[in-house]
Amino acid sequence: MMVTVKINGKEYSKDVEPRTLLATFIRDDIGLTGTHIGCDTTNCGACTVLMDGRAVKSCTVLAAQADGHELETIENEADKELSMVKESFIEENGLQCGFCTPGMIMTSLYMLRKNKNPSEDYIKNSLAGNLCRCTGYVSIINSIKNANEKINGKKAVVK
Amino acid sequence: MFPDKFEYYAPKSIEEAAKFLDGHEDAKVLAGGQSLIPLLKLRFTSVPEIVDIGRIKGLDSIVFQGSAVEIGPMVRTSEIGENSSIRKKFPVLSEAAGHIADPLVRNMGTIGGDICHGDPANDFPAVMLALDAEFEISSSRGKRTVKAEDFFVDTFATALEPGEILTGIKIQDTGSSGRYMKYKKYAGDFSILGIAVNLLMDGKKVKKAGIGLTNCGATAIKAKDAEKFMNGKDLSDENIEKAAELIVKACDFMDDDNGSVKFKEKLLKNLFVKAVKGIGGVPK
Ligand code: FES
Ligand code: FES
């Protein structure tokens, strides 16, 4: 079946099997390999992309379900806010091996767009679907606080 | 991991979907896919055809009409949790939404899918039972209404007959209020167990109690004896304790990885007390 999606502002059409998952569609059919597949069982969030602005686990979405929708991935160079989140993760050592990072960053972007005045609890709850096996969450949360300062201009993240 | 092969069909209307289901007995309806897709990927199940109802217009709206709300089956769990009118009128529903899986799964998963999957560990069924929701069910034979208490039959079994689709959820706003309490091992996990308590008060007395239980048996359970007992009574510690006893009696617990029967009974009682005392408070 034909699946047409807009990814990072560019339109792609591919003829794929109906059972194709969005994560493999993005990686193998389109060739954008920044989106990672970690667990492949809806647990880790390494595969997080934004679909119509909402963060979802692309290993648990059919490419067919995304047909006609707009996606944003870690490769979205044009998005200034995404670049700010990336910088923040570098500055605060929000990654070690980097495997979970594309998902962490897309989820961070989603939560900071949605809430311009996030509390620490909000950040933690919003990260519930993303696992990191090496960095530890403290630096990741610090990275998100840093990104919040850059994007939303808010210094204090209250407890 | 890939699911086994299937045909994919995305109808534009309920009629089209119903017609397709009539000719394809083993076809499975796909809503958000947050339960179905993992099962297909792990090959716990496979289906010849998938009917994606995500492209049918009008199935994803929340409409307040008179004293009732009608919720479309394709409304995402996150939207239920974030809707401010639902939060005000049916706090037990928004609180449950916030406990389901994780934020990313909630952005795809739907209320209709959560209900129709028939998993005893899913959270919305108990809330539907506590709120005495009614389900509109459509097929090529027309529409029928099923009460939540008649809907949950057994594990992964509901009152949906072949060819039928859940097309609407109706809940009456009676001015009641409630809480949903859930105990899980880690963020994003299923309930060890959960309880939805919804009370309509008349001064200090309970006018109408609604109690639904998650993962306390083969399917979601309505604690009818406890509801009946609470009606007309005040919320004294003694009455709460008595109701808690009746709730535990309605359960069909088993010893398993999540804990012993004894542990679960104690946990459920504690969650019930917390829920009753917390009604009117701000859910997290
Ligand atoms: S790869 Fe999708 S959640 Fe882990
Ligand atoms: S940086 Fe290695 S898993 Fe998160």
Side-chain angles (χ1 to χ4, degrees), chain A residues 95-101 131-135:
Chain A
L95 62 147
Q96 274 189 47
C97 78
F99 200 87
C100 68
T101 313
L131 301 179
C132 176
R133 294 288 83 158
C134 54
T135 306

Side-chain angles (χ1 to χ4, degrees), chain A residues 133-153:
Chain A
R133 294 288 83 158
C134 54
T135 306
Y137 296 98
V138 173
S139 334
I140 292 174
I141 290 164
N142 286 340
S143 305
I144 298 171
K145 287 184 187 168
N146 182 13
N148 176 52
E149 285 171 28
K150 287 190 210 274
I151 294 175
N152 295 326

Side-chain angles (χ1 to χ4, degrees), chain B residues 63-122:
Chain B
V63 183
F64 283 87
Q65 215 165 36
S67 66
V69 64
E70 282 183 39
I71 303 172
M74 283 301 298
V75 174
R76 310 281 169 188
T77 303
S78 52
E79 287 171 57
I80 300 271
E82 288 159 16
N83 185 291
S84 57
S85 304
I86 289 189
R87 188 158 282 263
K88 228 184 282 153
K89 296 189 164 156
F90 308 104
V92 61
L93 183 54
S94 11
E95 189 167 25
H99 281 303
I100 293 174
D102 63 58
L104 312 173
V105 170
R106 295 201 284 271
N107 273 343
M108 252 340 257
T110 64
I111 183 166
D114 190 275
I115 290 169
C116 292
H117 189 45
D119 189 332
N122 278 5

Side-chain angles (χ1 to χ4, degrees), chain B residues 169-224:
Chain B
I169 298 152
K170 196 168 179 177
I171 310 170
Q172 295 294 337
D173 173 20
T174 55
S176 61
S177 187
R179 293 297 296 264
Y180 187 76
M181 296 282 161
K182 166 168 173 172
Y183 191 74
K184 55 189 174 187
K185 280 185 270 193
Y186 49 84
D189 194 20
F190 282 106
S191 301
I192 287 181
L193 49 90
I195 180 166
V197 181
N198 195 67
L199 301 180
L200 174 63
M201 299 299 291
D202 184 9
K204 286 210 172 324
K205 289 206 165 106
V206 177
K207 197 166 171 196
K208 189 167 185 289
I211 303 167
L213 311 175
T214 302
N215 221 11
C216 295
T219 188
I221 294 169
K222 186 168 172 70
K224 285 190 205 160

Side-chain angles (χ1 to χ4, degrees), chain A residues 101-148:
Chain A
T101 313
M104 286 290 174
I105 288 182
M106 294 316 284
T107 300
S108 306
L109 178 65
Y110 169 70
M111 74 169 93
L112 293 178
R113 276 190 193 163
K114 208 166 97 173
N115 187 340
K116 302 277 171 209
N117 196 10
S119 64
E120 185 154 338
D121 271 352
Y122 170 80
I123 294 175
K124 286 181 184 168
N125 287 328
S126 304
L127 271 187
N130 294 80
L131 301 179
C132 176
R133 294 288 83 158
C134 54
T135 306
Y137 296 98
V138 173
S139 334
I140 292 174
I141 290 164
N142 286 340
S143 305
I144 298 171
K145 287 184 187 168
N146 182 13
N148 176 52

Side-chain angles (χ1 to χ4, degrees), chain B residues 15-34:
Chain B
E15 293 72 36
E16 259 179 64
K19 208 169 146 204
F20 185 89
L21 285 173
D22 274 349
H24 302 83
E25 262 177 32
D26 295 323
K28 181 87 186 154
V29 172
L30 171 75
Q34 300 305 283

